[in-house]
Amino acid sequence: MAGLDGCVVQEPDAARVAATRDRLVTSEEATRLAELFRLLGDPTRARLLYALLEAGELCVCDLADAVEVTDTAVSHALRLLRTAGIVASRRAGRMIYYRLADAHVRMLLDLSREHLRETI
């Protein structure tokens, strides 16, 4: 008898398996996706991203006040997010303003929040 997560019959469907393998992400893509989700998996970074989603663009001190963490923690988080291409920045004189990098990041955040609300 197979468990709930097992197969009753150990005869894989070769055609379905082959078709699935053809559409799978590559090992490199899977590694990059895991790194992306690891970055998003930190509560402070997640709150920073949602602050940028709501505000559009903020400087470090405004982000720090919004999410109630230190400027240093915000700067460190933004450095990681910028390096990963999740946020972008622009300089205005001595100020640097941060925003979400593109619509894909916005969509990912929106869908993630929607999913959370459905599972609660």
Side-chain angles (χ1 to χ4, degrees):
M1 175 181 265
L4 291 176
D5 294 330
C7 292
V8 176
V9 178
Q10 291 293 321
E11 295 178 25
D13 182 332
R16 290 187 80 186
V17 169
T20 300
R21 281 186 182 156
D22 288 344
R23 292 187 304 268
L24 276 178
V25 296
T26 66
S27 293
E28 181 181 317
E29 288 171 321
T31 298
R32 291 178 58 207
L33 279 168
E35 289 169 359
L36 171 67
F37 282 112
R38 230 183 331 273
L39 276 173
L40 300 177
D42 175 80
T44 299
R45 289 192 293 263
R47 292 189 76 217
L48 289 170
L49 292 172
Y50 279 102
L52 292 174
L53 178 67
E54 295 302 325
E57 186 177 73
L58 292 169
C59 66
V60 170
C61 60
D62 289 344
L63 278 165
D65 280 351
V67 300
E68 300 173 311
V69 297
T70 65
D71 289 7
T72 303
V74 171
S75 293
H76 177 70
L78 289 171
R79 188 175 317 110
L80 293 172
L81 294 167
R82 190 178 60 243
T83 300
I86 298 170
V87 300
S89 63
R90 74 170 176 88
R91 182 177 293 275
R94 296 181 64 207
M95 298 292 291
I96 298 176
Y97 293 92
Y98 293 87
R99 66 187 180 284
L100 298 178
D102 59 35
H104 296 111
V105 175
R106 285 181 185 81
M107 193 168 32
L108 179 62
L109 294 172
D110 282 337
L111 289 172
S112 297
R113 184 180 249 176
E114 185 178 325
H115 176 69
L116 279 178
R117 288 179 176 160
E118 286 179 2
T119 58
I120 292 177

